[in-house]
Amino acid sequence: MPSQSAANARKSTRPAPAGRAGDIMDAALTLFAERGYLGTSMRDIASQLGMRAPSLYNHLESKQELLQDIMLRTMENLVADHQMAVATTNDVAEQLRRAMEAHVRYHARHPREVRIGNAEIWNLEQPAQDRVRKLRRDYARSWQDVINRGVDEGRFQTPSPQLASYAMLEMGIGISLWYHEGGRLSESQLAYYYGDMALRLVSAESG
Amino acid sequence: MPSQSAANARKSTRPAPAGRAGDIMDAALTLFAERGYLGTSMRDIASQLGMRAPSLYNHLESKQELLQDIMLRTMENLVADHQMAVATTNDVAEQLRRAMEAHVRYHARHPREVRIGNAEIWNLEQPAQDRVRKLRRDYARSWQDVINRGVDEGRFQTPSPQLASYAMLEMGIGISLWYHEGGRLSESQLAYYYGDMALRLVSAESG
DNA sequence: CCTACCGATCGGTAGG
DNA sequence: CCTACCGATCGGTAGG
């Protein structure tokens, strides 16, 4: 039986690799996030693991494959968390709060993935780039749907539902740049504060 | 005599280069913003101007110099606009609105510069990188000062003035990724809507 | 402004 | 998992 909360028990759509391939992925995540995809060489990744670059090719096809795995997995998991958050209530203000909380928690927990996701889309080859763009579009559209419904029901006020949704998405992305575990604010505090700010942004009375 | 509004007449702290050097700077801005600093070669820049790469070195010292000029000029001009915006009123809600309007207008007018500024800080060599970081810190601190004063005066409500300032800064950055002149929204509409959202975010009654 | 060219580094392969 | 090595490309210089 499940021992975790619903949010934590979410099954990954695309599981992170384990074993040696997992070590390589982890080193790539750290280095791509710090120096960028083009600023990281296969020799850098191998060196982090005490290996030589050619040995990496026993575990992967190409450097590009690493980037595609990271970006597709990240967006799929973010969307999955989001859908669970909005599906667990019918109150539109509570949906918005939970969507923001899930957004913030994902960005706080996976800062490397999110930084890469936002910086490297232009370095993704097709068709992976279009798949990631579609996932982003779907995600943004779901936020707009929530805000539009809140406006229709007279619960939210905003000069532009579209701009409000952009602003909320963007607010979360910054978190991946400065948040780190063990800082002044816990992940939960962060989630509550940002949930509160999302509701204020559309002048909503909370649930 | 000045024929432009005060906001438009702001003197650049660091003027953009003119003539051939200006052409090179413009090509670099476009390419760095599209493909990134590491993804752009000196041959790419030269080719955009119908030149060969070595000829560029008659007008500049190095590729790194181009990046440093862009990032320092951008941050200095953003800070100058901001200081003018908050210095023109004593009402704290109006200060916040004008700060957001200036922030939004700068990001809408200079999308290439802002995209580079946010993506390439790790590719800036010292001491330029620290100078840009200091300018960013000063800018963020000025926003926090405004919000803190609004809270002290009982005009603003927020669970965290610091997070509110981060959220507002981040909201503007996204604009540089999707806004383009001649789109559905004019620059002024954008500025007004975001100014409104900034006040809502701290539950302020407008000035 | 050009051609010719430099040493360094890149992603990746051959072969074991 | 390694060494040895490939062709391509990089920022930049020499020399005119």
Side-chain angles (χ1 to χ4, degrees):
Chain A
M1 67 194 75
S3 62
Q4 294 179 300
S5 75
N8 284 339
R10 184 237 327 130
K11 285 260 182 47
S12 288
T13 311
R14 190 179 290 253
R20 207 75 182 120
D23 297 339
I24 294 170
M25 177 59 74
D26 193 68
L29 277 168
T30 297
L31 291 170
F32 288 174
E34 278 176 5
R35 315 177 188 176
Y37 179 70
L38 295 177
T40 301
S41 70
M42 295 304 275
R43 285 159 178 83
D44 291 334
I45 296 172
S47 150
Q48 191 111 329
L49 301 169
M51 296 165 65
R52 306 287 178 171
S55 305
L56 297 175
Y57 291 87
N58 291 310
H59 303 280
L60 50 84
E61 290 292 318
S62 68
K63 187 187 179 189
Q64 174 70 204
E65 182 194 70
L66 279 171
L67 183 63
Q68 296 191 6
D69 283 355
I70 291 168
M71 294 191 66
L72 284 166
R73 185 160 29 85
T74 297
M75 274 310 300
E76 287 169 0
N77 290 342
L78 174 63
V79 167
D81 278 9
H82 171 80
Q83 285 171 342
M84 182 169 310
V86 300
T88 45
T89 175
N90 284 318
D91 182 275
V92 74
E94 196 55 28
Q95 280 183 325
L96 182 62
R97 187 207 297 281
R98 290 185 194 174
M100 181 56 88
E101 288 187 4
H103 189 64
V104 165
R105 285 185 190 276
Y106 196 87
H107 284 69
R109 281 186 197 165
H110 305 289
R112 298 176 302 175
E113 287 84 343
V114 172
R115 285 184 56 167
I116 295 167
N118 284 299
E120 308 293 354
I121 184 125
W122 292 103
N123 291 320
L124 259 193
E125 293 172 8
Q126 296 292 12
Q129 184 181 130
D130 277 347
R131 287 178 55 192
V132 170
R133 287 187 190 279
K134 177 175 178 350
L135 284 164
R136 282 192 190 188
R137 237 183 354 259
D138 294 344
Y139 186 57
R141 198 154 345 199
S142 176
W143 277 81
Q144 277 185 51
D145 288 345
V146 172
I147 296 174
N148 280 328
R149 194 166 345 108
V151 170
D152 289 347
E153 295 181 9
R155 303 279 304 278
F156 299 167
Q157 291 172 47
T158 175
S160 165
Q162 187 179 41
L163 291 186
S165 73
Y166 286 178
M168 291 181 198
L169 290 175
E170 204 60 42
M171 279 168 53
I173 291 169
I175 293 172
S176 67
L177 300 177
W178 57 264
Y179 180 78
H180 57 98
E181 244 186 294
R184 208 164 44 71
L185 290 168
S186 71
E187 181 193 301
S188 288
Q189 279 178 301
L190 210 61
Y192 300 151
Y193 287 175
Y194 271 83
D196 180 289
M197 289 196 288
L199 290 171
R200 281 184 204 271
L201 192 53
V202 289
S203 297
E205 301 296 323
S206 55
Chain B
M1 68 193 72
S3 62
Q4 293 178 300
S5 74
N8 284 341
R10 182 226 341 121
K11 287 261 182 47
S12 287
T13 312
R14 189 179 290 252
R20 208 73 181 119
D23 297 339
I24 294 170
M25 178 58 75
D26 194 66
L29 277 168
T30 297
L31 291 170
F32 288 173
E34 277 176 6
R35 315 178 189 176
Y37 178 71
L38 295 178
T40 301
S41 71
M42 295 304 275
R43 285 160 178 83
D44 292 334
I45 295 171
S47 150
Q48 190 112 329
L49 302 168
M51 296 166 67
R52 306 287 178 166
S55 305
L56 297 175
Y57 290 87
N58 292 309
H59 303 281
L60 50 84
E61 291 292 318
S62 67
K63 187 187 179 189
Q64 174 69 206
E65 182 195 71
L66 279 172
L67 183 63
Q68 296 190 6
D69 284 355
I70 291 168
M71 295 191 65
L72 283 165
R73 184 160 29 84
T74 298
M75 273 311 299
E76 287 169 0
N77 289 343
L78 175 63
V79 167
D81 278 9
H82 171 80
Q83 285 171 343
M84 182 170 308
V86 300
T88 47
T89 175
N90 284 318
D91 182 276
V92 74
E94 197 55 29
Q95 280 184 325
L96 182 63
R97 185 206 299 280
R98 290 185 194 176
M100 181 57 88
E101 288 187 5
H103 188 65
V104 166
R105 285 185 190 276
Y106 196 87
H107 284 69
R109 281 185 198 167
H110 305 289
R112 298 176 303 174
E113 286 84 341
V114 171
R115 284 184 56 167
I116 295 166
N118 284 300
E120 308 294 354
I121 184 125
W122 292 102
N123 290 320
L124 260 193
E125 293 172 9
Q126 297 293 12
Q129 184 181 130
D130 277 348
R131 286 178 56 193
V132 170
R133 287 188 191 278
K134 179 178 178 345
L135 285 164
R136 282 192 191 187
R137 233 179 1 255
D138 294 346
Y139 186 57
R141 198 153 348 197
S142 176
W143 277 81
Q144 276 186 51
D145 289 345
V146 172
I147 296 173
N148 280 327
R149 193 166 347 105
V151 170
D152 290 346
E153 295 180 8
R155 303 281 302 280
F156 298 166
Q157 291 172 46
T158 175
S160 163
Q162 188 178 40
L163 291 187
S165 73
Y166 287 178
M168 290 181 198
L169 290 175
E170 204 61 39
M171 279 166 54
I173 291 169
I175 292 172
S176 67
L177 300 177
W178 57 262
Y179 181 77
H180 59 98
E181 245 186 294
R184 208 164 42 73
L185 289 168
S186 71
E187 181 193 302
S188 288
Q189 280 178 300
L190 210 61
Y192 301 151
Y193 287 174
Y194 271 82
D196 180 290
M197 288 197 286
L199 291 171
R200 282 184 204 271
L201 192 53
V202 290
S203 298
E205 301 297 323
S206 56

mmCIF file of all heavy atoms in Angstrom, chain B residues 133-162:
data_model
loop_
_atom_site.group_PDB
_atom_site.id
_atom_site.type_symbol
_atom_site.label_atom_id
_atom_site.label_comp_id
_atom_site.label_asym_id
_atom_site.label_seq_id
_atom_site.Cartn_x
_atom_site.Cartn_y
_atom_site.Cartn_z
ATOM 1 N N ARG B 133 27.279 40.895 -11.821
ATOM 2 C CA ARG B 133 26.564 40.355 -10.659
ATOM 3 C C ARG B 133 26.256 41.440 -9.643
ATOM 4 O O ARG B 133 25.188 41.453 -9.035
ATOM 5 C CB ARG B 133 27.399 39.247 -9.990
ATOM 6 C CG ARG B 133 27.430 37.959 -10.779
ATOM 7 C CD ARG B 133 28.106 36.854 -9.957
ATOM 8 N NE ARG B 133 28.370 35.689 -10.769
ATOM 9 C CZ ARG B 133 27.466 34.752 -11.048
ATOM 10 N NH1 ARG B 133 26.238 34.875 -10.570
ATOM 11 N NH2 ARG B 133 27.778 33.726 -11.800
ATOM 12 N N LYS B 134 27.197 42.350 -9.449
ATOM 13 C CA LYS B 134 26.960 43.432 -8.495
ATOM 14 C C LYS B 134 25.822 44.339 -8.969
ATOM 15 O O LYS B 134 24.959 44.725 -8.180
ATOM 16 C CB LYS B 134 28.230 44.261 -8.290
ATOM 17 C CG LYS B 134 28.028 45.431 -7.314
ATOM 18 C CD LYS B 134 29.307 46.199 -7.106
ATOM 19 C CE LYS B 134 29.126 47.403 -6.162
ATOM 20 N NZ LYS B 134 27.742 47.820 -5.905
ATOM 21 N N LEU B 135 25.802 44.651 -10.254
ATOM 22 C CA LEU B 135 24.711 45.473 -10.786
ATOM 23 C C LEU B 135 23.364 44.776 -10.593
ATOM 24 O O LEU B 135 22.361 45.415 -10.253
ATOM 25 C CB LEU B 135 24.956 45.772 -12.270
ATOM 26 C CG LEU B 135 26.032 46.823 -12.552
ATOM 27 C CD1 LEU B 135 26.487 46.765 -14.008
ATOM 28 C CD2 LEU B 135 25.519 48.218 -12.220
ATOM 29 N N ARG B 136 23.333 43.474 -10.824
ATOM 30 C CA ARG B 136 22.093 42.727 -10.608
ATOM 31 C C ARG B 136 21.665 42.781 -9.153
ATOM 32 O O ARG B 136 20.477 42.920 -8.848
ATOM 33 C CB ARG B 136 22.304 41.247 -10.964
ATOM 34 C CG ARG B 136 22.295 40.946 -12.410
ATOM 35 C CD ARG B 136 22.213 39.439 -12.527
ATOM 36 N NE ARG B 136 22.453 38.988 -13.890
ATOM 37 C CZ ARG B 136 22.300 37.732 -14.268
ATOM 38 N NH1 ARG B 136 21.940 36.814 -13.392
ATOM 39 N NH2 ARG B 136 22.525 37.381 -15.517
ATOM 40 N N ARG B 137 22.631 42.611 -8.259
ATOM 41 C CA ARG B 137 22.315 42.626 -6.832
ATOM 42 C C ARG B 137 21.752 43.983 -6.440
ATOM 43 O O ARG B 137 20.760 44.081 -5.720
ATOM 44 C CB ARG B 137 23.579 42.311 -6.025
ATOM 45 C CG ARG B 137 23.403 41.185 -5.041
ATOM 46 C CD ARG B 137 24.652 40.835 -4.238
ATOM 47 N NE ARG B 137 25.832 41.622 -4.477
ATOM 48 C CZ ARG B 137 26.892 41.211 -5.168
ATOM 49 N NH1 ARG B 137 26.892 40.019 -5.753
ATOM 50 N NH2 ARG B 137 27.955 41.984 -5.286
ATOM 51 N N ASP B 138 22.396 45.045 -6.908
ATOM 52 C CA ASP B 138 21.907 46.400 -6.610
ATOM 53 C C ASP B 138 20.486 46.589 -7.127
ATOM 54 O O ASP B 138 19.640 47.185 -6.455
ATOM 55 C CB ASP B 138 22.819 47.455 -7.262
ATOM 56 C CG ASP B 138 24.211 47.460 -6.644
ATOM 57 O OD1 ASP B 138 24.382 46.855 -5.561
ATOM 58 O OD2 ASP B 138 25.112 48.047 -7.255
ATOM 59 N N TYR B 139 20.244 46.097 -8.314
ATOM 60 C CA TYR B 139 18.912 46.233 -8.915
ATOM 61 C C TYR B 139 17.876 45.492 -8.073
ATOM 62 O O TYR B 139 16.835 46.053 -7.719
ATOM 63 C CB TYR B 139 18.951 45.685 -10.342
ATOM 64 C CG TYR B 139 17.694 45.882 -11.144
ATOM 65 C CD1 TYR B 139 17.159 47.139 -11.353
ATOM 66 C CD2 TYR B 139 17.047 44.789 -11.729
ATOM 67 C CE1 TYR B 139 16.012 47.315 -12.108
ATOM 68 C CE2 TYR B 139 15.915 44.955 -12.495
ATOM 69 C CZ TYR B 139 15.386 46.216 -12.672
ATOM 70 O OH TYR B 139 14.255 46.385 -13.429
ATOM 71 N N ALA B 140 18.164 44.262 -7.720
ATOM 72 C CA ALA B 140 17.226 43.483 -6.906
ATOM 73 C C ALA B 140 17.005 44.149 -5.553
ATOM 74 O O ALA B 140 15.881 44.192 -5.041
ATOM 75 C CB ALA B 140 17.747 42.058 -6.711
ATOM 76 N N ARG B 141 18.062 44.695 -4.969
ATOM 77 C CA ARG B 141 17.942 45.336 -3.665
ATOM 78 C C ARG B 141 17.029 46.553 -3.740
ATOM 79 O O ARG B 141 16.247 46.817 -2.830
ATOM 80 C CB ARG B 141 19.332 45.742 -3.159
ATOM 81 C CG ARG B 141 19.349 46.005 -1.677
ATOM 82 C CD ARG B 141 20.726 45.750 -1.049
ATOM 83 N NE ARG B 141 21.652 45.045 -1.954
ATOM 84 C CZ ARG B 141 22.752 44.444 -1.550
ATOM 85 N NH1 ARG B 141 23.082 44.446 -0.279
ATOM 86 N NH2 ARG B 141 23.552 43.829 -2.408
ATOM 87 N N SER B 142 17.105 47.305 -4.812
ATOM 88 C CA SER B 142 16.261 48.484 -4.954
ATOM 89 C C SER B 142 14.780 48.089 -5.009
ATOM 90 O O SER B 142 13.925 48.754 -4.417
ATOM 91 C CB SER B 142 16.665 49.271 -6.202
ATOM 92 O OG SER B 142 15.790 50.364 -6.390
ATOM 93 N N TRP B 143 14.479 46.999 -5.703
ATOM 94 C CA TRP B 143 13.098 46.497 -5.718
ATOM 95 C C TRP B 143 12.649 46.105 -4.319
ATOM 96 O O TRP B 143 11.532 46.423 -3.904
ATOM 97 C CB TRP B 143 12.994 45.281 -6.652
ATOM 98 C CG TRP B 143 12.819 45.631 -8.087
ATOM 99 C CD1 TRP B 143 13.801 45.989 -8.964
ATOM 100 C CD2 TRP B 143 11.601 45.673 -8.828
ATOM 101 N NE1 TRP B 143 13.268 46.247 -10.201
ATOM 102 C CE2 TRP B 143 11.920 46.054 -10.144
ATOM 103 C CE3 TRP B 143 10.269 45.421 -8.508
ATOM 104 C CZ2 TRP B 143 10.959 46.187 -11.144
ATOM 105 C CZ3 TRP B 143 9.300 45.550 -9.506
ATOM 106 C CH2 TRP B 143 9.658 45.936 -10.815
ATOM 107 N N GLN B 144 13.499 45.403 -3.620
ATOM 108 C CA GLN B 144 13.130 44.992 -2.257
ATOM 109 C C GLN B 144 12.895 46.189 -1.358
ATOM 110 O O GLN B 144 12.017 46.170 -0.500
ATOM 111 C CB GLN B 144 14.221 44.101 -1.661
ATOM 112 C CG GLN B 144 14.084 42.654 -2.063
ATOM 113 C CD GLN B 144 15.089 41.777 -1.348
ATOM 114 O OE1 GLN B 144 15.204 41.832 -0.130
ATOM 115 N NE2 GLN B 144 15.821 40.982 -2.123
ATOM 116 N N ASP B 145 13.707 47.237 -1.532
ATOM 117 C CA ASP B 145 13.520 48.443 -0.721
ATOM 118 C C ASP B 145 12.135 49.032 -0.942
ATOM 119 O O ASP B 145 11.459 49.430 0.013
ATOM 120 C CB ASP B 145 14.590 49.483 -1.067
ATOM 121 C CG ASP B 145 15.966 49.079 -0.559
ATOM 122 O OD1 ASP B 145 16.033 48.156 0.291
ATOM 123 O OD2 ASP B 145 16.966 49.676 -1.003
ATOM 124 N N VAL B 146 11.715 49.098 -2.191
ATOM 125 C CA VAL B 146 10.392 49.643 -2.491
ATOM 126 C C VAL B 146 9.312 48.792 -1.812
ATOM 127 O O VAL B 146 8.408 49.325 -1.149
ATOM 128 C CB VAL B 146 10.145 49.709 -4.013
ATOM 129 C CG1 VAL B 146 8.696 50.090 -4.302
ATOM 130 C CG2 VAL B 146 11.114 50.703 -4.663
ATOM 131 N N ILE B 147 9.421 47.488 -1.968
ATOM 132 C CA ILE B 147 8.380 46.623 -1.399
ATOM 133 C C ILE B 147 8.395 46.682 0.121
ATOM 134 O O ILE B 147 7.336 46.757 0.765
ATOM 135 C CB ILE B 147 8.553 45.177 -1.917
ATOM 136 C CG1 ILE B 147 8.335 45.155 -3.429
ATOM 137 C CG2 ILE B 147 7.576 44.233 -1.218
ATOM 138 C CD1 ILE B 147 8.630 43.830 -4.081
ATOM 139 N N ASN B 148 9.574 46.688 0.706
ATOM 140 C CA ASN B 148 9.647 46.788 2.170
ATOM 141 C C ASN B 148 9.007 48.085 2.673
ATOM 142 O O ASN B 148 8.313 48.090 3.691
ATOM 143 C CB ASN B 148 11.116 46.738 2.624
ATOM 144 C CG ASN B 148 11.648 45.313 2.652
ATOM 145 O OD1 ASN B 148 10.919 44.367 2.941
ATOM 146 N ND2 ASN B 148 12.933 45.156 2.345
ATOM 147 N N ARG B 149 9.260 49.173 1.964
ATOM 148 C CA ARG B 149 8.684 50.438 2.397
ATOM 149 C C ARG B 149 7.161 50.382 2.298
ATOM 150 O O ARG B 149 6.455 50.844 3.184
ATOM 151 C CB ARG B 149 9.244 51.604 1.574
ATOM 152 C CG ARG B 149 8.924 52.968 2.198
ATOM 153 C CD ARG B 149 9.741 54.116 1.603
ATOM 154 N NE ARG B 149 10.838 53.651 0.794
ATOM 155 C CZ ARG B 149 10.865 53.671 -0.543
ATOM 156 N NH1 ARG B 149 9.847 54.140 -1.215
ATOM 157 N NH2 ARG B 149 11.930 53.214 -1.190
ATOM 158 N N GLY B 150 6.666 49.770 1.223
ATOM 159 C CA GLY B 150 5.215 49.636 1.081
ATOM 160 C C GLY B 150 4.609 48.816 2.210
ATOM 161 O O GLY B 150 3.513 49.129 2.698
ATOM 162 N N VAL B 151 5.306 47.774 2.627
ATOM 163 C CA VAL B 151 4.818 46.963 3.744
ATOM 164 C C VAL B 151 4.861 47.776 5.032
ATOM 165 O O VAL B 151 3.890 47.794 5.811
ATOM 166 C CB VAL B 151 5.660 45.671 3.880
ATOM 167 C CG1 VAL B 151 5.327 44.938 5.174
ATOM 168 C CG2 VAL B 151 5.431 44.763 2.670
ATOM 169 N N ASP B 152 5.966 48.490 5.261
ATOM 170 C CA ASP B 152 6.090 49.314 6.475
ATOM 171 C C ASP B 152 4.983 50.357 6.558
ATOM 172 O O ASP B 152 4.485 50.662 7.653
ATOM 173 C CB ASP B 152 7.451 50.026 6.500
ATOM 174 C CG ASP B 152 8.594 49.048 6.735
ATOM 175 O OD1 ASP B 152 8.313 47.896 7.140
ATOM 176 O OD2 ASP B 152 9.764 49.434 6.522
ATOM 177 N N GLU B 153 4.640 50.922 5.413
ATOM 178 C CA GLU B 153 3.611 51.959 5.408
ATOM 179 C C GLU B 153 2.193 51.382 5.447
ATOM 180 O O GLU B 153 1.218 52.132 5.372
ATOM 181 C CB GLU B 153 3.766 52.853 4.159
ATOM 182 C CG GLU B 153 5.073 53.650 4.135
ATOM 183 C CD GLU B 153 5.203 54.523 2.898
ATOM 184 O OE1 GLU B 153 4.220 54.628 2.125
ATOM 185 O OE2 GLU B 153 6.294 55.098 2.696
ATOM 186 N N GLY B 154 2.098 50.066 5.479
ATOM 187 C CA GLY B 154 0.793 49.432 5.527
ATOM 188 C C GLY B 154 0.056 49.436 4.191
ATOM 189 O O GLY B 154 -1.128 49.135 4.127
ATOM 190 N N ARG B 155 0.790 49.732 3.110
ATOM 191 C CA ARG B 155 0.150 49.795 1.797
ATOM 192 C C ARG B 155 0.178 48.452 1.075
ATOM 193 O O ARG B 155 -0.663 48.177 0.224
ATOM 194 C CB ARG B 155 0.861 50.843 0.920
ATOM 195 C CG ARG B 155 0.930 52.258 1.497
ATOM 196 C CD ARG B 155 -0.383 53.000 1.313
ATOM 197 N NE ARG B 155 -0.784 53.108 -0.082
ATOM 198 C CZ ARG B 155 -0.295 53.999 -0.953
ATOM 199 N NH1 ARG B 155 0.623 54.880 -0.571
ATOM 200 N NH2 ARG B 155 -0.721 54.030 -2.202
ATOM 201 N N PHE B 156 1.221 47.651 1.363
ATOM 202 C CA PHE B 156 1.378 46.357 0.671
ATOM 203 C C PHE B 156 1.190 45.225 1.670
ATOM 204 O O PHE B 156 1.555 45.344 2.837
ATOM 205 C CB PHE B 156 2.781 46.207 0.070
ATOM 206 C CG PHE B 156 3.148 47.225 -0.983
ATOM 207 C CD1 PHE B 156 4.476 47.360 -1.388
ATOM 208 C CD2 PHE B 156 2.189 48.041 -1.583
ATOM 209 C CE1 PHE B 156 4.835 48.289 -2.355
ATOM 210 C CE2 PHE B 156 2.538 48.972 -2.551
ATOM 211 C CZ PHE B 156 3.878 49.096 -2.938
ATOM 212 N N GLN B 157 0.659 44.116 1.157
ATOM 213 C CA GLN B 157 0.595 42.881 1.939
ATOM 214 C C GLN B 157 1.232 41.761 1.131
ATOM 215 O O GLN B 157 0.885 41.571 -0.030
ATOM 216 C CB GLN B 157 -0.857 42.510 2.233
ATOM 217 C CG GLN B 157 -1.562 43.445 3.198
ATOM 218 C CD GLN B 157 -3.035 43.124 3.269
ATOM 219 O OE1 GLN B 157 -3.428 41.972 3.382
ATOM 220 N NE2 GLN B 157 -3.861 44.151 3.163
ATOM 221 N N THR B 158 2.144 41.030 1.760
ATOM 222 C CA THR B 158 2.798 39.918 1.078
ATOM 223 C C THR B 158 3.375 38.967 2.121
ATOM 224 O O THR B 158 3.813 39.414 3.187
ATOM 225 C CB THR B 158 3.924 40.411 0.147
ATOM 226 O OG1 THR B 158 4.603 39.286 -0.397
ATOM 227 C CG2 THR B 158 4.936 41.270 0.898
ATOM 228 N N PRO B 159 3.369 37.662 1.816
ATOM 229 C CA PRO B 159 3.956 36.717 2.769
ATOM 230 C C PRO B 159 5.475 36.879 2.862
ATOM 231 O O PRO B 159 6.070 36.480 3.850
ATOM 232 C CB PRO B 159 3.572 35.349 2.197
ATOM 233 C CG PRO B 159 3.273 35.586 0.765
ATOM 234 C CD PRO B 159 2.754 36.985 0.666
ATOM 235 N N SER B 160 6.112 37.442 1.831
ATOM 236 C CA SER B 160 7.562 37.610 1.846
ATOM 237 C C SER B 160 7.963 38.694 0.859
ATOM 238 O O SER B 160 7.885 38.487 -0.352
ATOM 239 C CB SER B 160 8.259 36.285 1.474
ATOM 240 O OG SER B 160 9.610 36.525 1.112
ATOM 241 N N PRO B 161 8.404 39.852 1.355
ATOM 242 C CA PRO B 161 8.812 40.912 0.438
ATOM 243 C C PRO B 161 9.924 40.451 -0.515
ATOM 244 O O PRO B 161 9.932 40.828 -1.691
ATOM 245 C CB PRO B 161 9.318 42.014 1.374
ATOM 246 C CG PRO B 161 8.598 41.788 2.657
ATOM 247 C CD PRO B 161 8.438 40.295 2.765
ATOM 248 N N GLN B 162 10.829 39.626 -0.015
ATOM 249 C CA GLN B 162 11.910 39.163 -0.878
ATOM 250 C C GLN B 162 11.379 38.299 -2.033
ATOM 251 O O GLN B 162 11.738 38.511 -3.189
ATOM 252 C CB GLN B 162 12.921 38.362 -0.064
ATOM 253 C CG GLN B 162 14.169 38.015 -0.874
ATOM 254 C CD GLN B 162 15.194 37.260 -0.074
ATOM 255 O OE1 GLN B 162 14.852 36.377 0.715
ATOM 256 N NE2 GLN B 162 16.455 37.602 -0.268
#
